[in-house]
Amino acid sequence: MFNDADHNFMARALELAALGLYTTSPNPRVGAVIVKDGEIVGEGWHRRAGEPHAEIVALAQAGGRARGATLYVTLEPCSHFGRTPPCAQALIDARVGRVVAAMEDPNPQVNGRGLAMLREAGVDVRCGLLQAQAHALNPGFISRMSRGLPWVRLKVAASLDGKTALRNGTSQWITGEAARTDGHAWRARACALLTGIGTVRDDDPLLNVRLVQTDRQPLKVLVDSRLEVDLQAKLLGSGNVLIVCAADNPGKETELRDRGCEILKLANPSGKVDLPALMQELAARQINEVHVEAGFKLNGSLLREACVDELLVYMAPSLLGDGMGMFDLPALDQLEARTRLQLDAVDRIGSDIRVLARIEREAPSVPPAPVG
C-alpha cells in the first residue's frame, strides 16, 4: 500500500509535528507535507491552539500546486468547526488528489469523519502509515480523548540503589546537569506539573521550566490535603497554581486565593485527596500530559490508585545506602502481585541512565512517548 517515498514524506511530516512538542496543548501535535510530482511544494505544523492547523499552513505554502497533489499528515484532517474551520473541506476545495494519514483522530467529533468526507469527495485516502510514531507524539491527547484521563508520567531521580534522598532529606543533586536539563524538557512538554506538600515543605521547588527554552509554563498542581503550604513557598510566586485539598480551611483558602491560587476540594473517604477524581478533573480542563515530581509517599499513592501511566527514572552512578526510596508501596507476599513494567527506552544522559517504562495493563491504549 505504501512505498519508500510515502514513508520518507510521512517521516518528514512527523519531524514537523514534533516542532509543536511544547506549544500545541490542548491540541495534538500535527505535521503535514504536500507533494507534487515527487517534490515537496508545501509543508506546515500546528503551532498552538487557535492558530491554523498543519494542513492549512501547508496548503497556503503550496498554493495552486496543491491541485492533484498528495498530502501526508500525521493525524486525520478535522471535519468540524472548532476554533478554526474544518481542514477536510479545505483540502477538498484545494482539489488535493490523495491524502495519506498516519492515524485516525480519536476526538469523538472527528473519529473517521474527516477521512470519510474526503473519500466522498473523490479523494484517494489511505491511513495507517507510521501510525505508531504518530501515536507516540500525542499520548496525552489520545488518552484524554479515548479514556477521559490525561497521560501521567512520574519522574524520579535516584541513586543506583534506588534512593531519592538521604535519610535527613537532602536530595540536591543526585543526578548530573545533563539529566536535570533533560528533565526540564519533559516538564516543558507537559500541560501540568504535579507535586505534593511534602516535596514543597522539604525542597521548596519553583516547579517550572527553566533549563530549556519555552514560551509556555505548565499549570502547577499541588496536592495538599490540609492546606499546609507556606504562603511564602516559591511555587506560589508566579501564579498559575491549582491547590487540591481534602478539608476546609476558610482563612487559608482566602489567603491563597489572594495570591492567585485556585483551590479545589476533592476528598476520598479516608480524608485524603481523591487522586483518580483529580485526574478526571484535569482531563476535563483539557490537560493532556501530567508530569509528576513528588516524594515517595505521593508517588506510592499515585501508583496504588492506578493513576500513573509511565515512569521516567534517572539513575545516578552512586549509592546512598539507608535513604529515602522511590515509591511508598506495600510489602507483597507473592511475586504475581508485583507491578509489571514495559521498558520502552534506556539511554545514557550525561553520566546518568534514563529509563522510560510504562505500567503494564491488560489493554494499553496509548503507545510510548517519544524520547530525546
Side-chain angles (χ1 to χ4, degrees), residues 182-346:
D182 189 70
H184 274 247
W186 288 94
R187 282 187 183 185
R189 62 172 289 156
C191 309
L193 307 178
L194 185 148
T195 194
I197 184 59
T199 297
V200 172
R201 187 168 46 236
D202 294 342
D203 298 338
D204 196 17
L206 287 165
L207 202 69
N208 61 8
V209 180
R210 302 182 303 281
L211 302 183
V212 298
Q213 181 61 42
T214 179
D215 58 3
R216 177 189 65 88
Q217 287 290 339
L219 172 70
K220 290 177 282 190
V221 181
L222 172 61
V223 176
D224 183 5
S225 294
R226 296 187 293 273
L227 289 181
E228 298 173 300
V229 63
D230 190 317
L231 294 175
Q232 303 307 313
K234 290 178 182 177
L235 90 166
L236 304 182
S238 58
N240 196 29
V241 181
L242 173 65
I243 302 179
V244 191
C245 63
D248 292 322
N249 187 337
K252 190 68 168 287
E253 290 175 33
T254 299
E255 291 178 307
L256 288 167
R257 290 192 178 100
D258 287 344
R259 283 163 172 74
C261 301
E262 180 184 356
I263 310 298
L264 175 66
K265 297 175 187 175
L266 291 173
N268 63 21
S270 64
K272 301 289 187 180
V273 168
D274 188 329
L275 296 173
L278 171 58
M279 297 309 161
Q280 293 172 3
E281 171 66 23
L282 293 177
R285 295 176 180 228
Q286 296 189 306
I287 297 295
N288 289 338
E289 294 184 28
V290 175
H291 179 93
V292 178
E293 294 194 21
F296 80 109
K297 289 185 178 179
L298 182 53
N299 287 349
S301 296
L302 288 164
L303 283 166
R304 288 195 305 273
E305 298 188 46
C307 292
V308 178
D309 297 296
E310 189 171 50
L311 299 179
L312 175 65
V313 181
Y314 296 91
M315 303 293 291
S318 61
L319 303 173
L320 297 188
D322 185 20
M324 307 296 289
M326 292 190 281
F327 316 110
D328 182 19
L329 295 173
L332 301 178
D333 295 324
Q334 299 180 11
L335 280 174
E336 288 74 14
R338 60 190 164 181
T339 299
R340 295 180 180 273
L341 306 174
Q342 176 178 316
L343 287 178
D344 288 323
V346 179

